[in-house]
Amino acid sequence: MKTSPEHIFISDFDGTITRRDFFRVALEQLPAECGRWWQAYEDGRLGHFEALARTFAELRISLDQMDELLRAMDPEPELARCCGQLEQNRWQLVIASAGCAWYIRRLLAWHHLHPTIYANPGTFSPSHGLRMTLPAGEFFTCQTTGVDKEAIARHYLERGCTIAFAGDGRPDLKPALLAPPHLRFARGWLAEELTRRQEGFLPFERWAEVVTHLPDSAAQPT
C-alpha cells in the first residue's frame, strides 16, 4: 500500500528510534578528554553540530567495531514491524536528525528500511573516523544543528499535511511545538521541557508505543 502524504510522522532518531544517542555510546570508546566537546555544548561554548562533529572525528575503530556501537544504541527491536504498521495506517515516516546520516542509513539498511531521512551527511573510515559535514545546498539547514527540524515540520504543514512528532532532545523542542498535543510524543529532556512549559504531549519509553498510537490519531481533528 502506498503511503499517503496527508499524514506525516516526523521522528528524531538518536534517543527516540534508538534508546541511546550515538555520541554517548561513542564516548564510551573514546578517551575521557573527548567528552570536552559535548560539555562545551552544554556550557553554551560550542554549537550542537560542532560538538557532535568533533566527537565523531575522534573515533579510530574498525567497521566491525562501528557496527557494535550501532547495536549498542539499542534500536527499537520491532523496528521493521513498526514501519510496516505506519505504512499500513497511511503515515509517511520522515526521520529528522541532527546526527549523522551515515550511521542512520547503515542501521536502517540492516532492516531493509529506506524512509525519507534528513540528517547531516558523513563518511566513515577506520583511519579518519566519522566525519560529519553540514548539508550543502539543501533547504532544511541551519548552522547550529545542520538539519533544521523546525523548517521540516513547517514545510509539511504548509503543504496541508497533518504532522506527528516524536523526539527527546533540545533540537526537538521547536518542531514538537508545531504538532498538536495529541500527536506530540516526548521522552527525556524534551518531555521535561514540555512539562516545564505546561505544554501537552504524550510520553513514551519505546518508539513502538508511538507507532501504536498513531492509527487512532490519524482520524482525530487537528
Side-chain angles (χ1 to χ4, degrees):
M1 179 186 297
K2 186 178 179 180
T3 303
S4 169
E6 297 178 356
H7 294 86
I8 308 297
F9 174 32
I10 304 172
S11 178
D12 174 47
F13 189 80
D14 295 50
T16 300
I17 291 179
T18 66
R19 291 281 296 169
R20 305 181 67 199
D21 290 349
F22 178 77
F23 87 90
R24 294 197 183 279
V25 298
L27 284 174
E28 293 175 358
Q29 301 296 315
L30 291 168
E33 60 265 24
C34 294
R36 68 188 184 278
W37 304 124
W38 190 252
Q39 187 61 54
Y41 164 68
E42 293 190 329
D43 293 343
R45 295 179 287 109
L46 200 63
H48 188 276
F49 173 88
E50 194 65 26
L52 290 185
R54 293 190 186 190
T55 301
F56 296 165
E58 301 274 6
L59 287 166
R60 293 295 182 272
I61 56 177
S62 69
L63 183 58
D64 286 343
Q65 289 172 314
M66 174 62 84
D67 286 344
E68 290 178 7
L69 294 188
L70 300 189
R71 286 187 283 269
M73 293 175 73
D74 191 11
E76 166 58 52
E78 299 185 69
L79 184 56
R81 181 194 65 77
C82 288
C83 289
Q85 184 176 339
L86 287 171
E87 184 175 1
Q88 182 179 358
N89 288 287
R90 304 175 68 83
W91 282 93
Q92 178 181 333
L93 174 61
V94 173
I95 294 176
S97 172
C100 187
W102 184 89
Y103 64 74
I104 294 173
R105 295 188 189 280
R106 185 169 181 83
L107 193 155
L108 292 176
W110 294 346
H111 301 274
H112 309 287
L113 299 172
H114 304 281
T116 299
I117 299 172
Y118 296 103
N120 297 305
T123 60
F124 170 76
S125 80
S127 60
H128 69 56
L130 179 59
R131 289 185 178 175
M132 187 170 75
T133 59
L134 289 168
E138 300 209 15
F139 184 69
F140 309 119
T141 61
C142 73
Q143 292 299 309
T144 304
T145 58
V147 171
D148 189 334
K149 299 185 186 186
E150 181 184 13
I152 294 169
R154 290 191 182 280
H155 166 73
Y156 286 108
L157 286 173
E158 289 168 0
R159 287 176 48 189
C161 300
T162 296
I163 66 165
F165 186 88
D168 75 311
R170 290 175 175 83
D172 298 324
L173 177 60
K174 289 183 178 180
L177 290 172
L178 293 176
H182 70 283
L183 295 178
R184 183 188 298 148
F185 303 88
R187 64 186 300 268
W189 181 92
L190 180 60
E192 294 173 1
E193 182 62 16
L194 290 173
T195 298
R196 187 185 70 81
R197 292 170 177 244
Q198 298 183 336
E199 295 283 354
F201 70 95
L202 297 175
F204 72 97
E205 287 300 320
R206 284 184 50 198
W207 195 64
E209 298 170 28
V210 178
V211 174
T212 298
H213 187 81
L214 284 176
D216 292 334
S217 297
Q220 295 181 20
T222 60

